[in-house]
Amino acid sequence: LTTVSASLCSLRWRRSSSNNSPIQHKIDNTIKRRTYFVEKEIWKIIKDMLSGLKILHDMNIVHRDIKTANIFISGGLYKLGDLNVSKIL
């Protein structure tokens, strides 16, 4: 349980970092510019989210609040964050 707690704290800290921005900002900018996401990028987002979700599930953690405001972009990776309502099974 200590490892899980440390991981959760680490994820919360990353969320507050100024280097991470929610994907919602990118979606909003795309809508404003009347452009589209490239299909390759959509598949990358899906892959990164499923990888993160698998890691959480392997640790018996259920996120319970997956939405665009909780998907962050950092260093070219899409990361699942904000585990405030997550549950450890």
Side-chain angles (χ1 to χ4, degrees):
L1 202 57
T2 334
T3 307
V4 172
S5 299
S7 297
L8 291 174
C9 291
S10 172
L11 287 169
R12 282 194 193 114
W13 177 82
R14 283 191 202 128
R15 181 179 187 267
S16 64
S17 171
S18 62
N19 293 334
N20 297 333
S21 69
I23 194 172
Q24 186 62 51
H25 292 209
K26 191 169 188 171
I27 292 169
D28 292 341
N29 288 335
T30 302
I31 291 169
K32 280 183 198 172
R33 291 189 316 255
R34 295 181 178 188
T35 59
Y36 301 96
F37 280 88
V38 178
E39 183 180 355
K40 185 177 180 179
E41 184 171 7
I42 293 169
W43 284 112
K44 177 168 178 30
I45 295 166
I46 293 169
K47 179 188 163 286
D48 288 355
M49 290 300 89
L50 290 176
S51 295
L53 198 56
K54 180 175 179 352
I55 290 167
L56 288 175
H57 288 179
D58 288 347
M59 294 173 22
N60 293 321
I61 299 172
V62 179
H63 190 282
R64 300 187 341 170
D65 194 24
I66 297 173
K67 59 186 178 186
T68 56
N70 292 336
I71 299 172
F72 298 90
I73 307 166
S74 177
L77 294 173
Y78 295 90
K79 299 179 180 182
L80 195 52
D82 194 1
L83 297 167
N84 293 329
V85 295
S86 63
K87 182 174 178 105
I88 300 174
L89 302 176

